Amino acid sequence: DTAVSQTPKYLVTQMGNDKSIKCEQNLGHDTMYWYKQDSKKFLKIMFSYNNKELIINETVPNRFSPKSPDKAHLNLHINSLELGDSAVYFCASSQDFGEKLFFGSGTQLSVL
Amino acid sequence: EDQVTQSPEALRLQEGESSSLNCSYTVSGLRGLFWYRQDPGKGPEFLFTLYSAGEEKEKERLKATLTKKESFLHITAPKPEDSATYLCALFSGGYNKLIFGAGTRLAVHP
């Protein structure tokens, strides 16, 4: 039973399209995150939510909009996709800030 | 600004050849230093958390240590299955977020 699951695993799309990535955790954690890993494998936080409330919003273009319908789910919607959005996006969760993170297996987004 | 620097970028070892990975950091208020392992095509997997200088933690062939300026991940008699990217991250209380280093890609050859 996967602790943090995200779908889809791969996403290939054209520039200008809108796409969503879904994430669910069954660990009962209060805090969820979206991270972006670029081609150099550098992991950078994008957003964090605690109990459905947005806590961290890094300098991410407003084309990226996270939504947390409940504390077990955190989805990421991306509008008007650009070539530079190509990367691997990881969802993660933790019991609280400063606790160890549990990561999903990632969504590889390729914008053509 | 809080920062994490890992070295080397890549390391190639023969099976059984022990070595260490370095993680240097600057932080205004350290609330935890984390080590993760990442295999290709997968998300990072938690290994250790260290909270104060002098602390050490071990797991199988891995041992993590912490000083006020850096952390080391010592790998003793590595096996090919230890091949992965090892990520260091620090939790900055000032920013309430985990800041990752760029990682060290470790390849262990039989």
Side-chain angles (χ1 to χ4, degrees), chain A residues 4 8 25-26 46 63 66 83 88 106:
Chain A
V4 181
Q25 55 97 1
N26 63 7
M46 300 173 69
R63 298 181 295 102
L83 293 176
V88 181

Side-chain angles (χ1 to χ4, degrees), chain A residues 33 40 43 73 103:
Chain A
Y33 312 80
K40 294 187 177 180
L43 261 174
H73 295 84
F103 283 86

Side-chain angles (χ1 to χ4, degrees), chain B residues 62-84:
Chain B
L62 301 177
K63 179 179 175 180
T65 62
L66 182 66
T67 72
K68 288 186 178 180
K69 292 182 179 180
E70 56 193 350
S71 177
F72 291 94
L73 185 65
H74 307 278
I75 303 176
T76 303
K79 298 182 177 182
E81 53 262 43
D82 295 322
S83 298

